[in-house]
Amino acid sequence: MSGYPQYPGYNPYPGQQYGDQQQQPYYPPPSPQPPAGYYQPPPPPQQQQQGYGYPTQPQQPQWAPQPTPQYHGAIPLQGNHMPTGQYMYSHPPPAGAPNLPPQGVQSFRVPGAPQIGYAFSNCTGKRKALLIGINYFGQRGQLRGCINDVKNMSTFLHDRFSYKREDMVVLTDDQQNPRSQPTKQNILQAMHWLVKDAQPNDSLFFHYSGHGGQTKDLDGDEGDGYDETIFPVDFRYNGHIVDDDMHRIMVAPLKPGVRLTAIFDSCHSGSALDLPYLYSTRGVEKEPNIAKEAASGLFDAMTAYSRGDLGGVAQSAMGIFKRATTGRGAEERAKRTKTSAADVIQWSGSKDSQTSADATEGGEATGAMSYAFIRALSKNSQQSYQQLLNSIREELQGKYSQKPQLSCSHPLDTRLLYVM
């Protein structure tokens, strides 16, 4: 979802970085309570919600269901026919159908690190979901579609992928229960809940729709020198949540064969979960292109100069210098420290350098990435990773400038069937 609009003289992220503008370190005030007038009470929800979870009455889908294709693709089978968790095609696959995920441990070695074994999840075990949507009611830079994104995604997961309502944690800022508000404390606790006791072949799902940003990288694993962040509803007083912390909580503890699918519909979200393997629409791993990025930074500097924005010129020049001096080493460090044996997939709404749109589709406010993900899988639920990335981009092509990204916690053959 889009970042805050820039107003003359307005600093949207006090003490933090917005876009390419570095600010001073942020220190929360001593009082945990915001001053009077900071936050307006949310509007009454249409249905009263209790704690974590969703209303007992299911929400009506706000996306248009597509006809079920004749080809149903690969389904997990259990019982006496095949060993638990294996896959077969329920109908003869068409020519060019995606390959099925391999079984067992896949071994590989990262230069400078011990050999690692990872495993794909069959997604036949327990299903849990954490869905976060923040409209920032009463705050400057208020958004419109984030709560709609959560409602649409929960219905989509329930109807299409058999996620149970009681196994979903929903945090939105239109709820009255304090535990269901998307505060920093609640979000971090819910992240721990999501991955707690996860076992091989479980399927976990994380969805965030709200503001995103960047802050200075402190551990040297970011090629551009900046960590990615998300902003809880109380970020002005309790700070943001950094990608390093999200990786530590939701990725590092997972066992081989546990699937976590993460969707970030926010600005600067390309590496919001710090997954070190990024893939292009051609299905190959992206390598840092320092020369190309330097040329892009030079263009940004010239554009800023033409506007008389000397601060923008200096920031672009600093970005070019940082990328040239730290880029390759940071990518190598990230692979040594952030590669995971679990099966973690991230779909993000934009590159680290881009914003994401707070859009309107079908007369409804929505995040562009959330809409495109649901739309692409509704049309065809049996796609490879590469096909789905292209399908998501096609949904946005011609309407939005953002480029959705695909990243993984381990090397990935993007021709494989995407299972969720």
Side-chain angles (χ1 to χ4, degrees), residues 10-283:
Y10 171 59
N11 174 14
Y13 302 149
Q16 301 171 35
Q17 178 180 339
Y18 172 69
D20 292 327
Q21 184 176 1
Q22 181 66 37
Q23 307 293 339
Q24 295 300 314
Y26 170 69
Y27 299 98
S31 172
Q33 297 299 324
Y38 142 71
Y39 182 66
Q40 298 179 6
Q46 294 181 352
Q47 293 181 322
Q48 183 66 33
Q49 303 185 25
Q50 299 295 329
Y52 288 164
Y54 220 74
T56 54
Q57 296 297 322
Q59 298 283 345
Q60 294 299 316
Q62 299 187 35
W63 44 271
Q66 301 296 317
T68 302
Q70 293 183 352
Y71 163 61
H72 298 289
I75 58 172
L77 293 183
Q78 300 186 24
N80 298 326
H81 299 287
M82 298 182 68
T84 299
Q86 286 197 353
Y87 289 83
M88 67 172 293
Y89 283 103
S90 56
H91 294 283
N99 298 323
L100 300 180
Q103 302 295 300
V105 176
Q106 314 296 308
S107 297
F108 74 103
R109 184 180 298 276
V110 176
Q115 181 168 308
I116 298 175
Y118 68 92
F120 287 92
S121 174
N122 294 323
C123 299
T124 57
K126 185 173 179 59
R127 296 175 180 268
K128 297 170 68 177
L130 168 57
L131 311 175
I132 304 167
I134 314 177
N135 279 3
Y136 306 90
F137 291 113
Q139 302 190 51
R140 207 166 195 178
Q142 179 174 319
L143 298 174
R144 302 174 305 129
C146 300
I147 294 174
N148 287 340
D149 290 343
V150 164
K151 292 178 180 179
N152 293 340
M153 191 65 72
S154 64
T155 298
F156 179 70
L157 293 176
H158 177 269
D159 292 352
R160 294 297 184 96
F161 291 96
S162 301
Y163 281 76
K164 298 178 181 179
R165 301 285 189 185
E166 58 267 28
D167 293 325
M168 297 184 191
V169 167
V170 176
L171 303 179
T172 55
D173 52 346
D174 64 341
Q175 298 189 71
Q176 300 300 309
N177 190 318
R179 291 192 65 206
S180 297
Q181 281 282 316
T183 63
K184 182 176 182 178
Q185 180 180 4
N186 286 346
I187 290 174
L188 293 175
Q189 288 179 347
M191 288 178 177
H192 284 286
W193 166 86
L194 179 65
V195 301
K196 180 178 174 57
D197 299 327
Q199 299 299 317
N201 296 324
D202 285 354
S203 183
L204 314 177
F205 194 92
F206 174 87
H207 176 220
Y208 171 80
S209 182
H211 282 307
Q214 294 180 305
T215 190
K216 187 176 181 180
D217 173 38
L218 300 178
D219 62 1
D221 65 344
E222 299 283 355
D224 60 359
Y226 297 110
D227 281 323
E228 283 62 54
T229 63
I230 62 173
F231 289 84
V233 70
D234 59 346
F235 74 90
R236 282 188 173 88
Y237 300 93
N238 291 313
H240 54 199
I241 300 175
V242 183
D243 53 9
D244 293 313
D245 292 332
M246 290 189 283
H247 183 98
R248 175 180 54 81
I249 295 171
M250 293 195 292
V251 178
L254 296 180
K255 301 175 182 178
V258 176
R259 160 61 63 83
L260 170 63
T261 299
I263 296 180
F264 287 86
D265 197 342
S266 54
C267 298
H268 312 292
S269 56
S271 60
L273 207 53
D274 264 0
L275 305 184
Y277 299 89
L278 180 65
Y279 291 89
S280 73
T281 53
R282 295 183 294 110

Side-chain angles (χ1 to χ4, degrees), residues 296-408:
S296 176
L298 181 60
F299 176 79
D300 291 341
M302 294 175 63
T303 302
Y305 180 79
S306 68
R307 298 195 308 263
D309 180 8
L310 298 182
V313 174
Q315 187 64 36
S316 296
M318 184 176 294
I320 295 172
F321 174 76
K322 286 184 177 179
R323 198 72 178 98
T325 55
T326 66
R328 177 67 67 175
E331 263 83 11
E332 293 174 352
R333 173 179 169 79
K335 286 187 176 181
R336 290 196 305 270
T337 60
K338 298 295 178 68
T339 296
S340 169
D343 189 18
V344 185
I345 301 295
Q346 178 187 319
W347 304 95
S348 55
S350 63
K351 297 180 180 179
D352 284 342
S353 60
Q354 291 181 319
T355 59
S356 295
D358 189 17
T360 300
E361 294 289 347
E364 179 188 71
T366 182
M369 176 62 193
S370 300
Y371 167 84
F373 181 84
I374 292 174
R375 183 80 173 168
L377 276 178
S378 295
K379 290 180 177 178
N380 180 6
S381 62
Q382 306 297 337
Q383 302 184 61
S384 69
Y385 292 88
Q386 180 186 358
Q387 289 169 340
L388 182 54
L389 177 60
N390 280 281
S391 297
I392 291 171
R393 288 198 175 187
E394 287 170 4
E395 292 293 335
L396 304 181
Q397 190 172 4
K399 296 185 289 185
Y400 309 100
S401 60
Q402 66 195 77
K403 301 293 185 184
Q405 305 290 299
L406 165 64
S407 56
C408 189

